[in-house]
Amino acid sequence: MKKRAALLLAVLCLAAALMPGCKRTDGERPTEPRPSVEVVPPETDPNALRVLIDFTTPGSTSHADHDVLEDFKKAIAEAGGPEDITFEYVFFDDSCERDSENYALRGNELTRVRTEIMAGKGPDIFITTCQPEYVDPVFKYPDQVMSRRAFLPLDGYIENAQFMEWDKLTPAIMAAGKNEEGQQVLPLTYSLPLTVFRKTEVEHTHSQDLTLFDIAKSDNPVSLLFSERATEFHTFWMDDDRFSSAFMELADYDTETLAFSEEELKEVIKTLGDLENRRVSGEFDNAPSYYHSNLEVDFNFNPGDDMYMADKGGIGENERITLFPLYSAQGGYCATITSFAAINRNTKRPDDAFFVLDYLLSLECQCSELYANLTFSRAIPTHEEAMQKRTKVIQYHATEGNKPKAWYLPKSNFEELCSLRDNITSARFRTELDKKLVNILDRSKFLVGNEEALDREVHAAYMEMSMMLGES
């Protein structure tokens, strides 16, 4: 009995060191299975290649999603890859409240997966999104997971890739998945906040030097305005999480500290709040037509609906457009990675696992329905030739008759997209810090002019984000 108690205590100590919220003092994590830890994975072929899927997009995993994954599995086999792939899902239902029984099911699944990984086991492949505004993701802070050596370094495999074209994957995006050990994570989709203008009304040369403060002082600072839109039924805001990109980096995950100061946060709030007061006073009523959007597969899609046209500033689908990014306080503009793939460092089948990722990053796959599940109108593929007329991206949520709808940009607008992404300064994974930052920035218009409230709210938000990071 004493031996069992001692063994249980050892296991609990290991878990405490690796679970979010706890630190290890030696900076390492075990990669070999511990025989004393009994982990029970889902009922599958124990020798199968396990692929963990977590789209975490609104709506539970559907039968259509299952069909898409089965098509993906078939394509892998036909390309000469492994045939014994087993997909696993992390439960997600966006209709569940956080205190509901169904919501707890996801927590149980995450605990199971994380426990397997800590025990030196777990799925061979991870395909997951970074959208913490919906639920806790499998990996809260991917940068930390890389530093804790949970993912397999891929440089040697990439050199011998059969399907992916590394030189055609957006460099600034792929660099976010790399650390001192090399490429560990393969970003699949990314986004960045935009203001869209008619090309005939606004021309813009994308810059890696312009700052948020430069734009605020310019003749046309509407890219920094809040986006209130009135319809026949109600008035609503359309800012989503775009203002989190006001900072190029949110955290230093090695030191577990925020990458900006309270004073820097206050300066951004004052800038945004002053502009909002000017907007309310009517100063920008004669600004060129524009609308705010995230860079996404259908950001220029289906403007036929009257309400949609009002939201989009009256800019039509076939008009030439200017994509104006949200510049950061530090200069340049930042993209956020919304989904990625990685291989478990503990896998016993690294070659087969990479075959799957290799095909996943191919142009053919990035234009398929599988990627539509990953993009979910929130992001675009990483392959730079996707989204042209000859390489249409399939959208699972839009149909023509009974067929999925193909999406692409007209040539002139695709060239505008190329210019935008060629000048991306850096990229980072979207985390829960983005959402918390937006919460305080959204209150800019109410805090400017009240120095006491501004200091209090900024300090509270800053401390909350610091605590979240320290508990990771």
Side-chain angles (χ1 to χ4, degrees):
M1 181 65 70
K2 289 183 179 180
K3 289 183 177 180
R4 285 189 177 181
L7 180 59
L8 177 60
L9 179 61
V11 171
L12 290 176
C13 288
L14 170 64
L18 295 177
M19 288 293 282
C22 303
K23 299 179 184 178
R24 290 183 60 86
T25 56
D26 57 9
E28 294 290 332
R29 66 175 300 279
T31 58
E32 293 299 320
R34 298 238 174 174
S36 59
V37 180
E38 182 64 24
V39 176
V40 182
E43 293 184 8
T44 60
D45 177 358
N47 298 314
L49 189 71
R50 295 171 58 190
V51 181
L52 180 71
I53 300 289
D54 185 31
F55 292 145
T56 60
T57 50
S60 325
T61 302
S62 67
H63 180 70
D65 296 332
H66 175 77
D67 290 345
V68 167
L69 291 173
E70 287 301 310
D71 288 343
F72 176 59
K73 178 179 176 179
K74 181 180 178 181
I76 293 291
E78 291 177 348
E83 299 182 9
D84 59 338
I85 295 174
T86 299
F87 294 112
E88 301 174 18
Y89 306 91
V90 179
F91 181 86
F92 175 62
D93 183 350
D94 71 312
S95 65
C96 298
E97 299 295 333
R98 284 188 174 267
D99 58 354
S100 71
E101 180 180 353
N102 277 353
Y103 188 88
L105 291 176
R106 178 174 178 83
N108 294 340
E109 285 291 292
L110 290 176
T111 298
R112 173 187 65 78
V113 171
R114 290 165 180 165
T115 301
E116 282 195 82
I117 296 170
M118 288 187 297
K121 301 180 182 180
D124 298 281
I125 299 169
F126 308 106
I127 300 177
T128 179
T129 56
C130 316
Q131 299 196 47
E133 58 265 40
Y134 296 125
V135 291
D136 291 338
V138 176
F139 303 107
K140 290 179 67 173
Y141 299 110
D143 290 279
Q144 279 188 340
V145 180
M146 286 193 286
S147 66
R148 292 172 181 174
R149 304 178 68 240
F151 299 141
L152 182 72
L154 301 174
D155 286 359
Y157 296 94
I158 292 171
E159 291 176 1
N160 299 302
Q162 299 180 57
F163 306 106
M164 72 172 69
E165 300 170 278
W166 190 256
D167 60 340
K168 295 181 180 179
L169 303 176
T170 304
I173 306 302
M174 305 312 291
K178 188 173 185 176
N179 66 4
E180 65 277 1
E181 280 197 280
Q183 194 79 33
Q184 292 191 44
V185 168
L186 298 180
L188 301 176
T189 59
Y190 68 97
S191 185
L192 59 90
L194 298 168
T195 301
V196 182
F197 297 94
R198 288 189 177 94
K199 180 74 73 173
T200 55
E201 295 177 329
V202 174
E203 290 270 3
H204 178 66
T205 300
H206 300 113
S207 169
Q208 295 187 337
D209 300 314
L210 281 173
T211 70
L212 178 151
F213 307 111
D214 294 330
I215 303 303
K217 296 173 184 176
S218 68
D219 295 334
N220 183 23
V222 296
S223 64
L224 300 179
L225 300 183
F226 290 87
S227 181
E228 188 176 25
R229 288 280 187 262
T231 70
E232 180 181 353
F233 306 104
H234 62 282
T235 298
F236 60 98
W237 299 91
M238 297 179 60
D239 294 309
D240 294 320
D241 56 359
R242 70 190 186 94
F243 280 125
S244 68
S245 292
F247 293 101
M248 188 67 66
E249 298 291 343
L250 298 190
D252 182 331
Y253 292 99
D254 290 331
T255 61
E256 296 185 347
T257 57
L258 295 177
F260 54 91
S261 67
E262 287 189 44
E263 287 304 314
E264 289 172 321
L265 178 56
K266 283 176 60 176
E267 188 176 9
V268 170
I269 287 177
K270 287 181 177 180
T271 299
L272 297 178
D274 287 340
L275 286 172
E276 174 61 11
N277 289 336
R278 291 165 60 189
R279 184 191 72 82
V280 172
S281 70
E283 185 172 337
F284 304 113
D285 287 350
N286 295 322
S289 299
Y290 72 93
Y291 65 89
H292 296 319
S293 176
N294 285 320
L295 182 61
E296 56 194 30
V297 166
D298 60 355
F299 75 93
N300 191 33
F301 174 69
N302 191 26
D305 181 77
D306 289 340
M307 185 180 293
Y308 187 95
M309 286 292 285
D311 299 345
K312 300 300 185 184
I315 300 175
E317 178 180 13
N318 295 317
E319 293 191 69
R320 294 188 64 189
I321 55 177
T322 291
L323 303 178
F324 200 107
L326 182 73
Y327 286 96
S328 69
Q330 294 78 23
Y333 51 96
C334 178
T336 52
I337 295 163
T338 56
S339 65
F340 67 87
I343 296 175
N344 189 337
R345 193 180 289 239
N346 300 314
T347 183
K348 299 299 188 293
R349 300 173 59 180
D351 292 336
D352 286 341
F354 183 76
F355 192 103
V356 174
L357 265 57
D358 188 7
Y359 184 79
L360 186 64
L361 270 290
S362 68
L363 178 59
E364 177 182 2
C365 192
Q366 291 206 21
C367 294
S368 70
E369 287 189 79
L370 175 65
Y371 254 71
N373 281 270
L374 295 168
T375 59
F376 192 72
S377 303
R378 299 281 298 175
I380 67 169
T382 53
H383 199 293
E384 296 193 333
E385 290 186 2
M387 302 186 303
Q388 299 178 85
K389 189 169 184 178
R390 65 181 181 83
T391 53
K392 302 175 182 178
V393 175
I394 302 297
Q395 294 187 95
Y396 76 104
H397 58 290
T399 59
E400 292 177 335
N402 295 321
K403 297 180 180 179
K405 186 175 180 65
W407 181 95
Y408 64 92
L409 276 174
K411 185 176 185 296
S412 59
N413 290 341
F414 181 78
E415 291 172 350
E416 176 72 6
L417 171 64
C418 292
S419 173
L420 177 79
R421 67 190 180 197
D422 286 348
N423 287 281
I424 293 174
T425 310
S426 70
R428 55 178 167 79
F429 296 95
R430 177 177 286 157
T431 71
E432 60 184 359
L433 293 176
D434 288 79
K435 196 64 176 177
K436 291 298 180 181
L437 179 60
V438 170
N439 288 344
I440 181 66
L441 293 178
D442 273 349
R443 298 203 292 277
S444 298
K445 50 190 173 292
F446 306 117
L447 296 175
V448 170
N450 186 336
E451 200 69 24
E452 181 179 350
L454 177 61
D455 288 341
R456 182 180 64 251
E457 292 293 314
V458 167
H459 180 69
Y462 194 86
M463 293 305 296
E464 183 179 3
M465 286 187 284
S466 297
M467 290 176 62
M468 289 165 55
L469 190 58
E471 294 172 354
S472 62

